[in-house]
Amino acid sequence: MIEAENIEDQNGLRPDGRRALELRQIRVKMGVFGQADGSAYIEQGNTKILVTVYGPHQPRGSTGRSTSNITKGIVNCQYSMAVFSLSSGERKRKPRGDRKSQERSLQLKHAMEAIIHLEIYPRSQIDIYVEALQVDGSEYCASVNAATLALIDAGIPIKNYAIGCTVTLINNPSLEDEDNTLGKGVLDANYVEECTPGVTLSVVSLPNNDSTSKDGLIVVAQGAGQRLHLSQFESLKARVLCGCQDIRTILDYAVREYLTEQSLPSLFHVALN
Amino acid sequence: MLTTKIFFRKTKGGNVFKTVREHYLRNDIHCGSKACEKCMCKTRNIILDDEDSSVKSSKITEPYYLLIDTNIILDQIDILEEDVICNVIIVQTVLEEVKHRSSMVYKRLKNIITNPQRKFYVFVNEHHKETYIERNPGESTNDRNDRAIRVATKWYNAHLHLDDNKIKTVLLTDDARNRELAEKEEIPAISMEDYILSLENSAFLADKLCKKNYSAVCEGPEFFPCHLTPSELHDGIKTGKLQQGTFQASKENFLEGFVNVDGVEKSIFIQGRSSLNRAVDGDTVAVELLPEDQWSSPSDIVLQDEEETDVDNVLEVKKVIDKFDPSNKMQKTQTGKVVGIIRRNWRQYCGILQTSNIETNVRHIFVPAERKIPKIRIETRQYTVLCKQRIIVAIDSWPRNSRYPLGHFVRALGEIGNKTTENEVILLEHDIPHSRFSDAVLSSLPKMPWNVTDVDLAQREDLRHLDICSVDPPGCTDIDDALHCRDLPNDFHLLHHVITDLLSSNLCSLLEKVERLTFSCIWEMDKDANIINTKFCKSIICSRAAMTYDEAQLKIDDATQQDPLVKSLRNLNNLAKKLKKKRLDNGALVLASPEIRFQVDCETHDPIEVEAKKLRETNSMVEEFMLLANISVAKKIVEEFPEYAVLRRHPEPPPANFEPLIKAAKNQGFTMNVNSGKELAASLDECHKENNPYFNIMLRILATRCMMQAVYFISGMLQPNDYYHYGLACPIYTHFTSPIRRYADVMVHRLLAVCIGADATYPDLLDKKKNHALCQNMNYRHRMAQYAARASVALNTHLFFREKIQDEEGYILFVRKNALQILVLKYGLEGTLYLNKDKNSDVTFTYNAENHSQTCGNTVFRTFDPVTVQISLNRSNVQHEKLIFKLVKPFIPGFSVPAANAQSCRITVEEGTKETAKRKMETEKQQSNNAKGGGNKKRQKKRKH
């Protein structure tokens, strides 16, 4: 376990050598799974997530039968973690269906419902399957990012990117800061940092091109049963939105590049500008 | 900017797991030198000088930086703490190794690094693109780290070479192989010893050089068997062949000791030099039990290692041991021998140099003040200076061929016998941190002059209009509580204020006529001192008067005074009496312990008069309300935080503890009932003797010694019925009233502030485990502080008796087999009067174990009998001065000594006048009282609960 002291030792560097506001390397692949209507694979450091999207299609199963929501489409999410995914080296007993996965599925559903134009898909259903292949912290946020990409790949119209990013409050005020206005807390924590005594917040936001929109912010607190004082929340939020903006830029670039590759060669040069 | 490197780490946790972690390498890490123009990313933390400010060395001609390796830090930290050494680069590899190897050295190193004047720069080589290296196949971690350090040095040399002013980076290492490899790669390297000796004026530094590496050089006969290797120890403990425990050296006999094995009640006895096998008090050792026919028992003799010369006459000592071995065949106890050291518990030791015949010699023997610690061999070139001083020495190693451990000089404390020096020794030996506060701490103090601000006014209740006063001992500088009482239509309204928020003896004290921020506890009470309502709030007050106990007492007694302040005091006093009665009816104990106060000469600060502390009614008035405040606060915080409240409990002593008390009382014809606190209090109250006015007090002193220690704890750690405070007979108690001098009170203040919504919580406040650890630490510190206070009293008593021989009246507190324990009430001083000491004398005392008495001729000594003793100071042993008690009255021919002077008769007269003097105000302002008893203690207002 890494103590907060470590940061001091390393002249303000985090245990893996990043600075407080730096993200891990993000690698994106879209359209990796031909059979599905849309799919995406994302790597945020050692956190690796595969998402497939099926639909929109006729509702099946119990969700479909309920007539309550015929004016809007239904989103069905399933979050599962591979048994070999844990970075602590243990084996997970059940890949899905446990409390944590169910909670994640629900939270993911909320995030996706916020961005999909569901009103244009009455009486239909969209299935989103998330498979966490390797987990090294921030896995929920990475799966939100991957799900957004998979929706784009499936050609489902969305209002905005739903971008997830974590911020972890490390009990150490003397962190060397490039930007003091943003308060403290480190972005995109890996597994080691998530295990520290501090609080980790997973935040999903819908950032705009220019500024961050204030609506549709989902905040999920995790961590070792710690409480976060409300006075620290605003500064953490400022940081994490900054991180979301960065992730959005990266994803947006990846999407554009992917789409131009897929499109006619004549379009290639135009789109890049 | 980022390069990703993934590396593999295997962790052992019973199973082998493969851990994959990302490891980012960067190119924006600054080298830390002001001269550098290549490093782009500017940070605040560039501290290495560009000019040649390092100390001049004859070996290194150019300007240079030092880059030090792990072993240098671990061994030579004492030298690194010297201000001379600066411009040092510590690479992260080294820092992490130090952290794993020794947390204590790590802490000291961190202190150096955080001091910007020292110019110690931490270079994060492990994340630097050009200095990170991977472990080669087949390379050990150690070798890899050594290589990483060399690579970093090489990088520094290349990096700072291209600039106009060349700065050399020199690798400082004591590892010969590492130096060799460095030279092969053309990296400048030097050993610590060479470096230090090449410096100007290096003599005092050379004394501090660690002697670890010389051990292999010197040869000679081996005194000790080999220690087993760590893996052998591990296997041995696992199979049960060896036992692991803490070694405790015997105080009396330097060739004996015990090992307390965890979880086993009976400790293992160790005897003889080779069985002890270089274990030092406090070490964690592995012990092998000897076969039963070799078992032995502790010898009764006191054996001090007093050999003057360095001649290693081990055989002779062995003979002494052997001689005593067969004498005690009866009670053999399990005996073992130390086969290995698992963890050393070496610290720095205070002591003096043993007088040496050859002054020019470099090698000297150091005698520690603590008897349990062996002598230490050190090298010093300053013998003539140091031989008159108390010094601190650290142990480096204890090779097999050395009789004594090898150590090095750390620093000198001052002249032997000097009061400041001796005080420092007391502080050091009791592990009491007394270094100055760091700049970071001091900078967070409020700026002077300080005033109440509008923000304070808005957040606090303004109680400045009330006639509040404080009552404290004379000369008290930390006034931390003040009282007030006023009549409400039906009830009294009582206030008890405790200062918070501001530090230092000035700002925190509720000084007279100055506005201060306080934490108030407000009770509404009826005429019979029943609490109707309790309220807590943060407030602002302005004390009308800071009184001493005497002044307050006089004001209360003087019927002519009728101003509101005095009325308030009188009401308080009346209520306090009722409260006290209630408390005593509940079974609270009134205990006594001999407490001493020194009147100190205001110029030399030497004690000129010793007296036992006096008590007045006002003392107990303040005390009652403090108890009430503490109890009220305890109830409140437990109600709000059942899991995290900081409380204080006093466990009920086991019945066996009371045996000496019961026996002593029985001898005098009284019965003690100790079944409960209430019954004990009642039986103590009944014991009075007409002819001995101090009988009751002495019984109470005895009762105090039967008690357990009161301790701090976290409420979540115990069941509610274990919260009980035995001495005060209340179900719940905490410390709230003295936040200036006790940390527990600060914690309670924080909790209470959260309770009343005045402050926000923070994670650590509600961390049960952390708070529990804090409580353990507070208990430890409290215990050590008590020991230190006792040592300090002893020191000052010794200073007082230095030039005197005095006769004093005393009472026998205990009768022992070969001695009488005597209490001198005038000084609250306890000492031992040895009997049958001189074998040649024809005066013999017969001990009766039945009724605890000593008889000699017609004279019988029993507990509580009055005696007159002559007190003098034996200064023959410089480190352990002793008070010597000699019998004066009753006169036993051949044993007693004649009275030293006429003082003894004067004392009896004084006794009579004491009572009247008690109420009289001491008009002359005693300046001398200002200087505190212990000289170093702030603990003047000690109230024990």
Side-chain angles (χ1 to χ4, degrees):
Chain A
M1 201 129 308
I2 305 293
E3 301 112 64
E5 228 177 66
N6 231 2
I7 288 194
E8 249 179 273
D9 282 359
Q10 304 193 5
N11 269 342
L13 294 184
R14 291 154 67 178
D16 59 1
R18 285 184 288 159
R19 292 194 196 282
L21 289 180
E22 282 170 358
L23 304 167
R24 289 176 289 181
Q25 198 174 65
I26 296 177
R27 272 152 284 178
V28 173
K29 272 186 197 162
M30 293 171 72
V32 283
F33 203 67
Q35 199 164 20
D37 294 317
S39 63
Y41 169 77
I42 195 167
E43 281 183 21
Q44 282 184 249
N46 278 337
T47 299
K48 294 168 189 179
I49 311 276
L50 176 68
V51 176
T52 54
V53 170
Y54 293 86
H57 56 74
Q58 205 176 355
R60 277 180 222 125
S62 59
T63 43
R65 257 175 255 126
S66 68
T67 47
S68 60
N69 217 352
I70 46 166
T71 54
K72 268 181 160 185
I74 300 157
V75 177
N76 173 36
C77 284
Q78 183 182 294
Y79 182 91
S80 92
M81 286 163 89
V83 286
F84 51 83
S85 65
L86 298 182
S87 57
S88 59
E90 293 146 350
R91 293 282 168 268
K92 201 174 185 313
R93 218 169 271 150
K94 237 169 119 186
R96 69 184 76 84
D98 59 335
R99 221 186 130 78
K100 196 171 151 195
S101 306
Q102 279 178 342
E103 222 170 84
R104 291 274 164 82
S105 303
L106 199 66
Q107 286 157 356
L108 191 66
K109 188 177 160 196
H110 287 317
M112 293 303 116
E113 278 172 347
I115 56 164
I116 303 173
H117 284 280
L118 286 172
E119 65 279 4
I120 56 174
Y121 299 113
R123 294 171 204 277
S124 42
Q125 177 181 351
I126 299 165
D127 292 327
I128 302 171
Y129 297 107
V130 177
E131 193 72 34
L133 300 175
Q134 192 177 344
V135 171
D136 186 21
S138 309
E139 65 272 16
Y140 170 65
C141 292
S143 56
V144 170
N145 298 340
T148 308
L149 293 178
L151 286 174
I152 294 171
D153 185 44
I156 296 170
I158 54 171
K159 299 168 191 161
N160 197 349
Y161 286 92
I163 301 293
C165 183
T166 62
V167 61
T168 302
L169 183 68
I170 294 199
N171 269 340
N172 179 32
S174 67
L175 201 80
E176 193 192 1
D177 278 325
E178 303 98 278
D179 187 357
N180 283 321
T181 54
L182 289 173
K184 49 200 173 188
V186 297
L187 292 182
D188 196 16
N190 63 19
Y191 177 71
V192 180
E193 285 170 317
E194 276 189 356
C195 291
T196 55
V199 185
T200 301
L201 293 182
S202 297
V203 174
V204 178
S205 73
L206 313 178
N208 284 332
N209 263 339
D210 41 356
S211 66
T212 309
S213 72
K214 290 281 175 275
D215 50 71
L217 196 70
I218 299 175
V219 180
V220 183
Q222 305 166 328
Q226 294 265 350
R227 301 180 199 191
L228 178 74
H229 195 258
L230 200 61
S231 63
Q232 281 154 338
F233 179 69
E234 280 305 318
S235 72
L236 286 182
K237 200 172 97 181
R239 287 211 149 189
V240 76
L241 291 180
C242 186
C244 287
Q245 197 64 256
D246 288 349
I247 296 178
R248 189 204 137 101
T249 314
I250 294 165
L251 295 190
D252 195 53
Y253 180 80
V255 168
R256 277 169 207 280
E257 197 171 24
Y258 169 73
L259 290 179
T260 38
E261 269 174 39
Q262 296 291 308
S263 312
L264 291 169
S266 58
L267 277 169
F268 191 72
H269 298 285
V270 185
L272 262 188
N273 302 326
Chain B
M1 193 155 90
L2 295 177
T3 325
T4 316
K5 206 94 195 183
I6 294 173
F7 74 115
F8 301 86
R9 195 182 284 167
K10 280 175 190 169
T11 50
K12 270 182 205 161
N15 307 318
V16 179
F17 286 131
K18 186 155 99 186
T19 315
V20 184
R21 276 187 200 152
E22 279 181 302
H23 191 90
Y24 288 86
L25 300 182
R26 24 194 343 135
N27 53 12
D28 66 344
I29 294 172
H30 203 278
C31 67
S33 168
K34 280 179 191 155
C36 175
E37 283 157 9
K38 275 186 274 184
C39 292
M40 300 303 278
C41 181
K42 289 272 177 257
T43 54
R44 283 176 281 131
N45 198 14
I46 303 166
I47 44 175
L48 297 173
D49 260 335
D50 47 355
E51 302 120 43
D52 183 19
S53 65
S54 305
V55 63
K56 296 273 173 306
S57 162
S58 57
K59 286 244 168 92
I60 311 162
T61 45
E62 303 101 322
Y64 65 95
Y65 296 150
L66 290 173
L67 197 148
I68 50 184
D69 86 341
T70 317
N71 285 324
I72 296 268
I73 294 177
L74 289 172
D75 298 339
Q76 313 284 13
I77 186 77
D78 287 326
I79 292 192
L80 295 178
E81 276 175 347
E82 288 295 319
D83 284 339
V84 175
I85 309 229
C86 62
N87 283 333
V88 174
I89 300 158
I90 310 238
V91 291
Q92 191 202 355
T93 319
V94 169
L95 197 62
E96 258 162 35
E97 273 192 306
V98 170
K99 190 170 164 186
H100 286 139
R101 299 266 291 274
S102 159
S103 59
M104 211 147 72
V105 173
Y106 176 72
K107 237 190 220 160
R108 292 167 72 182
L109 181 64
K110 288 299 285 190
N111 279 341
I112 302 174
I113 292 170
T114 44
N115 180 358
Q117 260 93 53
R118 297 298 311 277
K119 305 198 181 76
F120 273 53
Y121 181 74
V122 177
F123 178 65
V124 193
N125 66 327
E126 295 286 357
H127 288 287
H128 194 285
K129 208 171 152 192
E130 286 163 50
T131 54
Y132 172 78
I133 53 160
E134 279 215 64
R135 203 166 102 186
N136 292 335
E139 192 178 33
S140 78
T141 323
N142 254 337
D143 289 345
R144 185 253 160 207
N145 287 346
D146 282 348
R147 191 156 63 89
I149 295 166
R150 286 199 302 274
V151 167
T153 323
K154 200 170 184 176
W155 179 82
Y156 257 102
N157 276 318
H159 182 75
L160 296 173
H161 204 74
L162 297 174
D163 299 42
D164 291 337
N165 47 353
K166 287 178 191 169
I167 298 173
K168 206 160 136 186
T169 304
V170 181
L171 176 64
L172 202 59
T173 175
D174 278 344
D175 183 348
R177 207 178 77 88
N178 201 2
R179 262 202 318 271
E180 206 175 284
L181 286 170
E183 267 150 33
K184 233 180 249 170
E185 295 168 53
E186 289 172 355
I187 300 167
I190 191 166
S191 80
M192 192 70 179
E193 200 190 354
D194 288 347
Y195 174 68
I196 291 296
L197 293 177
S198 75
L199 297 179
E200 298 163 337
N201 305 326
S202 62
F204 82 101
L205 282 176
D207 280 359
K208 299 192 171 192
L209 271 175
C210 173
K211 300 295 174 296
K212 199 170 231 170
N213 303 309
Y214 307 166
S215 53
V217 183
C218 59
E219 284 181 14
E222 280 154 358
F223 299 123
F224 300 102
C226 255
H227 284 154
L228 299 181
T229 62
S231 62
E232 280 174 318
L233 290 177
H234 187 81
D235 292 346
I237 290 166
K238 230 177 183 177
T239 55
K241 204 177 129 225
L242 304 178
Q243 304 205 45
Q244 178 180 346
T246 326
F247 176 73
Q248 283 189 319
S250 154
K251 249 193 172 146
E252 280 84 36
N253 190 330
F254 78 102
L255 287 179
E256 286 179 358
F258 285 94
V259 171
N260 296 325
V261 181
D262 306 328
V264 182
E265 205 169 295
K266 207 161 175 358
S267 49
I268 299 167
F269 177 63
I270 316 275
Q271 190 175 50
R273 197 183 289 274
S274 66
S275 292
L276 291 174
N277 202 355
R278 292 169 276 165
V280 178
D281 186 65
D283 288 351
T284 309
V285 296
V287 196
E288 187 180 355
L289 275 183
L290 294 172
E292 207 157 324
D293 56 313
Q294 289 178 34
W295 284 13
S296 156
S297 66
S299 53
D300 284 338
I301 51 148
V302 175
L303 202 57
Q304 295 283 327
D305 194 2
E306 298 286 10
E307 286 149 90
E308 287 288 309
T309 50
D310 210 0
V311 183
D312 296 321
N313 42 358
V314 187
L315 283 173
E316 214 167 285
V317 179
K318 246 190 184 153
K319 265 183 224 153
V320 179
I321 288 289
D322 289 343
K323 219 164 54 193
F324 283 98
D325 254 354
S327 65
N328 247 332
K329 280 231 150 71
M330 308 305 287
Q331 319 149 317
K332 286 201 166 176
T333 161
Q334 55 173 349
T335 309
K337 62 174 185 187
V338 175
V339 292
I341 310 283
I342 293 162
R343 199 174 48 247
R344 288 290 193 190
N345 192 29
W346 288 341
R347 55 184 175 97
Q348 299 186 335
Y349 303 99
C350 301
I352 53 171
L353 283 181
Q354 188 169 301
T355 8
S356 163
N357 303 329
I358 318 150
E359 288 198 358
T360 48
N361 205 341
V362 206
R363 295 184 159 202
H364 294 280
I365 299 284
F366 164 85
V367 188
E370 173 70 63
R371 287 210 176 96
K372 292 175 174 180
I373 306 299
K375 293 179 182 180
I376 301 164
R377 181 175 290 165
I378 64 166
E379 274 182 36
T380 175
R381 292 148 193 83
Q382 317 167 59
Y383 174 76
T384 39
V385 184
L386 294 182
C387 64
K388 293 183 198 69
Q389 297 202 314
R390 288 229 182 224
I391 59 172
I392 298 182
V393 159
I395 305 184
D396 301 323
S397 63
W398 197 341
R400 283 176 65 201
N401 52 15
S402 167
R403 242 186 92 179
Y404 299 124
L406 306 181
H408 65 268
F409 166 73
V410 177
R411 68 191 166 100
L413 294 173
E415 222 169 295
I416 297 171
N418 182 313
K419 203 165 142 248
T420 35
T421 314
E422 301 298 326
N423 275 334
E424 175 116 17
V425 171
I426 288 175
L427 292 174
L428 284 169
E429 284 294 305
H430 291 92
D431 188 20
I432 294 174
H434 59 285
S435 52
R436 275 190 294 145
F437 286 110
S438 68
D439 291 342
V441 173
L442 290 177
S443 67
S444 58
L445 284 177
K447 296 277 171 297
M448 294 296 279
W450 174 88
N451 281 313
V452 175
T453 61
D454 292 342
V455 186
D456 295 327
L457 272 173
Q459 285 171 348
R460 289 162 179 270
E461 260 181 68
D462 191 351
L463 303 175
R464 285 177 290 185
H465 58 283
L466 297 175
D467 293 316
I468 292 162
C469 66
S470 64
V471 185
D472 281 287
C476 178
T477 55
D478 45 350
I479 306 171
D480 52 12
D481 37 44
L483 296 157
H484 165 72
C485 167
R486 72 179 156 170
D487 283 320
L488 290 180
N490 298 317
D491 317 307
F492 293 106
H493 190 124
L494 275 165
L495 291 157
H496 190 284
H497 305 275
V498 175
I499 188 83
T500 60
D501 281 20
L502 289 169
L503 284 165
S504 100
S505 179
N506 171 26
L507 274 183
C508 252
S509 274
L510 303 172
L511 298 175
E512 210 169 289
K513 307 206 169 59
V514 185
E515 291 175 0
R516 289 283 177 255
L517 303 183
T518 57
F519 214 130
S520 292
C521 182
I522 304 173
W523 299 284
E524 272 178 50
M525 284 187 177
D526 63 12
K527 292 257 184 300
D528 296 320
N530 293 314
I531 299 172
I532 297 165
N533 196 5
T534 312
K535 197 183 132 194
F536 305 96
C537 65
K538 290 204 163 185
S539 58
I540 306 171
I541 64 158
C542 178
S543 175
R544 296 291 186 273
M547 285 179 277
T548 64
Y549 291 128
D550 298 315
E551 286 168 356
Q553 188 69 55
L554 277 179
K555 279 208 162 120
I556 292 171
D557 292 349
D558 186 356
T560 57
Q561 296 203 31
Q562 287 298 336
D563 56 280
L565 193 68
V566 177
K567 273 189 186 162
S568 147
L569 272 178
R570 253 173 233 146
N571 276 335
L572 285 170
N573 201 22
N574 289 336
L575 286 171
K577 280 182 196 159
K578 284 170 190 157
L579 283 171
K580 186 168 188 180
K581 186 168 175 304
K582 262 189 220 170
R583 203 162 56 82
L584 293 180
D585 289 347
N586 253 338
L589 297 172
V590 179
L591 298 171
S593 59
E595 274 191 57
I596 301 190
R597 248 187 102 82
F598 292 93
Q599 291 202 358
V600 185
D601 190 301
C602 46
E603 274 178 13
T604 60
H605 293 291
D606 285 335
I608 45 175
E609 188 72 54
V610 191
E611 59 180 37
K613 279 190 183 168
K614 298 172 196 158
L615 286 177
R616 284 177 184 76
E617 217 174 45
T618 38
N619 281 41
S620 85
M621 175 182 94
V622 176
E623 189 181 328
E624 280 317 311
F625 285 108
M626 296 219 306
L627 292 180
L628 195 64
N630 285 339
I631 293 168
S632 302
V633 170
K635 279 180 189 153
K636 177 80 181 173
I637 55 174
V638 168
E639 188 188 304
E640 202 87 359
F641 299 107
E643 287 285 295
Y644 319 109
V646 179
L647 299 177
R648 187 165 177 82
R649 74 195 179 99
H650 184 205
E652 189 173 346
N657 276 20
F658 286 113
E659 253 162 50
L661 176 70
I662 296 173
K663 267 192 186 164
K666 207 175 156 194
N667 284 335
Q668 300 288 328
F670 293 99
T671 35
M672 280 283 142
N673 200 338
V674 296
N675 291 336
S676 71
K678 200 173 171 176
E679 287 171 58
L680 177 65
S683 24
L684 277 174
D685 286 341
E686 278 164 22
C687 295
H688 283 286
K689 270 191 131 179
E690 284 300 309
N691 58 349
N692 188 344
Y694 293 112
F695 175 62
N696 191 269
I697 293 176
M698 283 192 289
L699 264 188
R700 288 185 198 274
I701 290 174
L702 281 186
T704 313
R705 302 211 172 148
C706 308
M707 296 296 154
M708 310 274 284
Q709 274 277 355
V711 286
Y712 295 109
F713 69 102
I714 295 294
S715 53
M717 292 305 208
L718 288 171
Q719 292 302 313
N721 46 349
D722 287 334
Y723 296 175
Y724 193 69
H725 197 290
Y726 179 77
L728 295 173
C730 59
I732 190 165
Y733 191 70
T734 190
H735 270 164
F736 166 72
T737 47
S738 302
I740 308 179
R741 58 195 178 90
R742 286 188 305 230
Y743 186 69
D745 301 55
V746 178
M747 289 171 77
V748 171
H749 270 247
R750 287 178 186 156
L751 285 167
L752 187 65
V754 176
C755 285
I756 62 168
D759 267 346
T761 69
Y762 52 94
D764 278 0
L765 186 71
L766 301 179
D767 191 323
K768 199 157 111 185
K769 281 216 183 84
K770 264 193 189 140
N771 284 348
H772 181 63
L774 270 177
C775 277
Q776 299 287 9
N777 190 36
M778 286 193 292
N779 290 331
Y780 168 73
R781 292 283 179 216
H782 184 247
R783 206 167 53 239
M784 291 322 272
Q786 274 185 332
Y787 293 153
R790 272 177 224 167
S792 172
V793 165
L795 167 68
N796 281 285
T797 316
H798 290 174
L799 285 174
F800 177 69
F801 281 106
R802 208 169 247 187
E803 309 301 332
K804 300 188 186 77
I805 295 177
Q806 233 167 336
D807 292 352
E808 294 296 345
E809 264 196 5
Y811 292 93
I812 298 172
L813 207 55
F814 292 105
V815 178
R816 302 213 187 278
K817 208 171 162 190
N818 64 340
L820 301 173
Q821 197 80 14
I822 295 193
L823 176 74
V824 180
L825 276 165
K826 185 183 171 195
Y827 299 141
L829 188 71
E830 218 184 306
T832 320
L833 175 70
Y834 288 98
L835 311 171
N836 295 343
K837 213 178 183 181
D838 192 359
K839 292 239 161 64
N840 304 325
S841 133
D842 47 351
V843 183
T844 45
F845 290 84
T846 353
Y847 177 66
N848 186 338
E850 279 289 294
N851 54 3
H852 287 272
S853 68
Q854 291 270 12
T855 321
C856 172
N858 299 331
T859 327
V860 183
F861 293 99
R862 285 206 192 83
T863 318
F864 303 124
D865 284 350
V867 288
T868 304
V869 287
Q870 188 175 87
I871 307 167
S872 60
L873 189 65
N874 177 353
R875 302 186 67 188
S876 57
N877 186 337
V878 187
Q879 295 217 64
H880 304 281
E881 293 184 346
K882 271 188 298 204
L883 279 181
I884 305 288
F885 282 60
K886 285 179 193 151
L887 191 65
V888 177
K889 225 166 63 178
F891 189 74
I892 296 170
F895 183 76
S896 295
V897 292
N901 45 32
Q903 263 192 347
S904 52
C905 36
R906 221 191 67 211
I907 290 163
T908 37
V909 181
E910 240 176 41
E911 235 60 274
T913 53
K914 228 176 199 168
E915 280 304 301
T916 45
K918 197 171 169 183
R919 290 293 164 95
K920 221 183 270 173
M921 161 109 161
E922 286 158 22
T923 38
E924 69 264 72
K925 262 199 178 168
Q926 282 175 330
Q927 267 188 316
S928 50
N929 270 343
N930 271 332
K932 272 162 269 159
N936 50 27
K937 297 176 299 177
K938 268 211 165 160
R939 234 167 282 113
Q940 198 180 23
K941 301 194 340 173
K942 201 159 57 180
R943 297 175 179 108
K944 280 186 181 160
H945 290 290

